[in-house]
């Protein structure tokens, strides 16, 4: 995990005269929760690209342009990634107001010529009350139209609410449902990034239920949504959808009983480099019964059967992984 204090001090040393930077977003939120952060984000008033390259040189990382649309430069380090984006608007407050949810709209200043700059120095800049919403366990949008401005925020809403234990405000839920159809036009890579992060969480099943609640599931994973209402034989107490999510809920406990994550194939080996340890198996569990609706039959004796659903499901899972532009290695893994 990256140490925000150390990286912030390096950023401070790389700022030119007159430049300013702020640690923003999830790292500030995680700091308030006492959690480490794998990824850090900085907003820069100045030449964000030059600062990113300078930080990469000092820390021995690789630097590249991550988003042309937002002029974001990413520094890749062994412990995680650091993103640098130009300040949006005329002030850090305007920048924060343009973000997605208030719990991610907080900042800490980094000042040029301040080699001791570190997370926790100075007061958190919190114009939208994100710290209070975090204490109250509420997910609140920075603006009513925030999900519509970027539909991937619908996926992020489900992931943040699930992983942070936040209740989704009714206004946010309505805005997400209205924006969900826009996910069809979002790049596969951005959708995959959110799904991979969610599948690597021990509360992935809750996140999938939230995706359904917010109207995103039929858009990004229609094959999974199609499992709803598909009844099984008497040996199953739930339909295929709930059966799948119950399995996903139990995955962390099963892994723990079998000795822990150290015995799993790594995400790199499975074709999901950089993903959380549980993500490959999370996807495997999520997709394991996809073929059942198409092959369901009721025999003359009244028995429900799903002959060869595993073969069809393997092809469907491979197709989904390809649609999300996930690696060929992962496509082979998920099919197996």
């Amino acid at each position: 995990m990256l140490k925000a204090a150390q990286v912030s001090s390096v950023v401070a040393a790389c700022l030119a005269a007159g430049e300013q930077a702020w640690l923003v977003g999830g790292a500030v939120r995680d700091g308030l929760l006492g959690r480490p952060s794998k990824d850090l984000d900085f907003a820069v008033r100045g030449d964000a690209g030059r600062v990113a390259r300078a930080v990469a040189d000092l820390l021995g990382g690789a630097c590249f342009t991550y988003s042309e649309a937002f002029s974001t430069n990413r520094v890749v380090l062994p412990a995680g990634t650091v993103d640098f984006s130009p300040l949006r608007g005329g002030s850090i407050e305007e920048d924060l107001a343009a973000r997605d949810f208030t719990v991610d709209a907080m900042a800490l200043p980094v000042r040029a010529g301040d080699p001791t700059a570190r997370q926790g120095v100075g007061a958190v800049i919190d114009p939208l009350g994100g710290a209070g919403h975090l204490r109250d366990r509420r997910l609140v949008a920075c603006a009513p139209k925030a999900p519509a401005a970027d539909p991937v925020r619908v996926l992020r809403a489900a992931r943040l609410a699930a992983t942070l234990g936040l209740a989704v405000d009714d206004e946010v839920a309505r805005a997400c449902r209205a924006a969900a159809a826009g996910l069809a036009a979002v790049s596969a890579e951005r959708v995959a990034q959110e799904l991979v992060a969610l599948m690597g969480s021990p509360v992935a099943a809750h996140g999938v239920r939230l995706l359904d609640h917010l109207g995103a599931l039929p858009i990004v994973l229609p094959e999974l949504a199609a499992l709803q209402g598909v009844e099984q034989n008497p040996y199953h107490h739930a339909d295929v959808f709930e059966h799948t999510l119950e399995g996903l809920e139990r995955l962390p406990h099963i892994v723990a009983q079998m000795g822990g994550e150290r015995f799993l194939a790594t995400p790199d080996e499975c074709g999901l480099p950089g993903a959380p340890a549980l993500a490959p198996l999370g996807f495997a569990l999520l997709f394991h019964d996809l073929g059942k609706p198409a092959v369901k039959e009721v025999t003359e004796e009244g028995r429900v059967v799903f002959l060869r659903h595993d073969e069809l499901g393997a092809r469907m899972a491979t197709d989904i992984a390809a649609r999300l532009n996930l690696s060929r290695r992962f496509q082979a893994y998920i099919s197996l």
Side-chain angles (χ1 to χ4, degrees):
M1 293 293 179
L2 291 170
K3 293 185 178 180
Q6 295 177 355
V7 177
S8 292
S9 66
V10 173
V11 173
C14 293
L15 294 175
E19 289 185 328
Q20 291 178 281
W22 294 264
L23 179 67
V24 296
V28 180
R29 177 202 69 218
D30 290 343
L32 292 176
L33 292 172
R35 300 180 179 183
S37 292
K38 184 178 180 182
D39 305 307
L40 305 179
D41 294 275
F42 290 88
V44 179
R45 176 184 278 138
D47 189 340
R50 185 198 60 76
V51 174
R53 292 189 294 273
V55 170
D57 287 343
L58 286 176
L59 295 180
C63 181
F64 64 96
T65 300
Y66 175 66
S67 170
E68 294 284 356
F70 296 102
S71 302
T72 300
N73 291 269
R74 172 162 289 182
V75 176
V76 180
L77 303 169
T81 62
V82 187
D83 287 348
F84 296 86
S85 302
L87 188 71
R88 292 176 285 185
S91 67
I92 185 60
E93 289 80 9
E94 288 185 32
D95 181 287
L96 296 175
R99 294 178 181 268
D100 49 14
F101 303 103
T102 61
V103 295
D104 280 346
M106 296 179 280
L108 282 165
V110 176
R111 295 180 177 85
D114 179 10
T116 62
R118 61 188 187 276
Q119 185 177 12
V121 169
V124 173
I125 301 169
D126 182 18
L128 301 176
H133 296 154
L134 191 60
R135 286 193 301 270
D136 296 340
R137 299 297 180 186
R138 294 172 57 208
L139 187 70
V140 180
C142 292
K145 295 183 179 180
D150 183 2
V152 82
R153 289 170 173 173
V154 181
L155 306 181
R156 196 170 299 141
R159 177 174 61 82
L160 287 174
T163 57
L164 298 176
L166 308 179
V168 180
D169 268 24
D170 290 342
E171 183 179 356
V172 173
R174 286 192 295 270
C176 285
R177 292 188 196 105
L183 284 165
V186 171
S187 71
E189 289 80 6
R190 295 187 72 207
V191 172
Q193 183 178 23
E194 289 294 331
L195 292 179
V196 168
L198 180 59
M199 284 302 101
S201 164
V203 292
H206 179 43
V208 173
R209 287 194 172 92
L210 285 172
L211 289 177
D212 188 44
H213 175 64
L214 299 178
L217 196 62
I219 309 298
V220 297
L221 291 175
E223 302 89 345
L224 188 65
L227 303 183
Q228 294 175 327
V230 179
E231 299 297 332
Q232 306 190 84
N233 61 42
Y235 293 105
H236 296 80
H237 69 277
D239 68 11
V240 182
F241 184 73
E242 286 300 324
H243 162 79
T244 296
L245 294 192
E246 284 188 6
L248 191 58
E249 286 175 344
R250 285 162 173 73
L251 175 61
H253 308 291
I254 295 169
V255 170
Q257 287 176 346
M258 297 183 72
E261 294 177 357
R262 67 186 186 278
F263 291 109
L264 299 179
T266 68
D268 283 17
E269 292 170 327
C270 299
L272 284 180
L278 287 176
L281 275 183
F283 276 113
L285 237 170
L286 194 68
F287 293 166
H288 85 279
D289 270 347
L290 290 180
K292 280 188 172 180
V295 301
K296 180 179 178 179
E297 294 182 7
V298 181
T299 67
E300 293 181 357
E301 296 80 17
R303 181 185 174 200
V304 176
V305 295
F306 301 98
L307 301 178
R308 296 182 180 271
H309 78 273
D310 54 334
E311 297 174 10
L312 175 59
R315 295 194 294 272
M316 293 173 69
T318 304
D319 289 344
I320 294 171
R323 186 174 77 220
L324 294 172
N325 285 344
L326 296 173
S327 70
R328 291 185 181 274
R329 180 186 291 270
F330 181 69
Q331 293 173 37
Y333 167 87
I334 202 69
S335 175
L336 179 62

